Amino acid sequence: MTREEAYKLLKQHLKNKNLIKHSLAVEAVMRRLAEHFNEDVEKWGLAGLLHDIDYDRTKDDPHRHSLEGADLLADKGLPGDVVYAVRVHNEAHGLPRKTLMDKALYSTDPLTGLIVAGALVRPEKKLSAVDVTFLKKKYGEKAFARGANREIIAACSEMGLELEEFLALGLEAMQGIAGEMGL
């Protein structure tokens, strides 16, 4: 599946503009991580872009989320490792994260929320106004961006990344698509 086909499929299944922006953010960070680890950038990007494809249908039932999406992606012929990464990114299932891509998607999902929240509390409301020092400080504030699960973000250590490096890679990736995100 090409990136264009994947984006069209995403827009068929997700109607919430903020969820589409979230998917674009996760895609960008996954692509950057793939570059960092010398992995398949296109494949990792697809996993990031499509990871929440079922969210409109499953948002009220977290135990269905990612399972339906993974099944849909398998039916569309996506590679098994992409399908599995999508399936295991939801911690509710307790499935083991086996590959680097699995671990990256798992930690990247909440990271993007932390970074967006960081931009939105700045007077400029822009990603360009955010730096790693600011994000690290906000990461330590439990009341800030409560939905961005710190434990899951900290699982970046499973990839061999320190938190600061993970924040830097994620921020860099998202700043690269700031226009698409409206930030």
Side-chain angles (χ1 to χ4, degrees):
M1 180 178 290
T2 67
R3 196 275 180 189
E4 293 75 27
E5 292 167 333
Y7 188 61
K8 184 178 175 185
L9 182 66
L10 179 74
K11 289 181 83 174
Q12 287 172 358
H13 289 270
L14 281 185
K15 301 304 177 197
N16 181 306
K17 287 181 178 149
N18 287 333
L19 277 176
I20 291 172
K21 288 178 184 180
H22 166 69
S23 296
L24 292 171
V26 175
E27 174 193 27
V29 176
M30 288 293 290
R31 292 176 70 87
R32 181 63 188 95
L33 289 170
E35 288 172 8
H36 177 79
F37 290 115
N38 199 27
E39 295 286 341
D40 186 329
V41 173
E42 297 305 318
K43 188 184 277 193
W44 281 44
L46 288 176
L49 183 63
L50 298 171
H51 79 285
D52 276 348
I53 195 165
D54 65 4
Y55 197 79
D56 278 353
R57 290 193 321 267
T58 63
K59 64 181 172 265
D60 296 326
D61 187 354
H63 294 286
R64 285 182 27 234
H65 173 54
S66 82
L67 298 178
E68 286 189 21
D71 290 346
L72 170 70
L73 298 178
D75 290 346
K76 295 289 181 184
L78 268 85
D81 54 349
V82 171
V83 171
Y84 188 77
V86 168
R87 186 178 312 277
V88 303
H89 91 272
N90 180 357
E91 73 277 4
H93 307 308
L95 297 169
R97 295 177 294 284
K98 300 174 185 175
T99 68
L100 200 52
M101 182 171 36
D102 298 346
K103 296 167 186 176
L105 184 57
Y106 179 73
S107 291
T108 295
D109 191 13
L111 174 69
T112 62
L114 180 79
I115 294 172
V116 166
L120 293 176
V121 299
R122 303 290 302 174
E124 307 89 339
K125 307 244 185 281
K126 298 285 181 196
L127 286 165
S128 60
V130 178
D131 62 21
V132 173
T133 303
F134 178 76
L135 283 178
K136 202 165 178 193
K137 179 178 181 252
K138 290 297 186 186
Y139 176 90
E141 296 175 12
K142 291 182 181 177
F144 179 78
R146 284 195 175 127
N149 186 313
R150 305 311 199 263
E151 195 174 301
I152 295 174
I153 294 171
C156 66
S157 64
E158 294 177 9
M159 296 181 280
L161 292 177
E162 296 292 328
L163 177 64
E164 193 164 323
E165 186 177 18
F166 187 46
L167 292 171
L169 290 166
L171 180 60
E172 174 192 338
M174 289 175 63
Q175 285 173 335
I177 63 159
E180 287 177 80
M181 295 190 63
L183 294 173

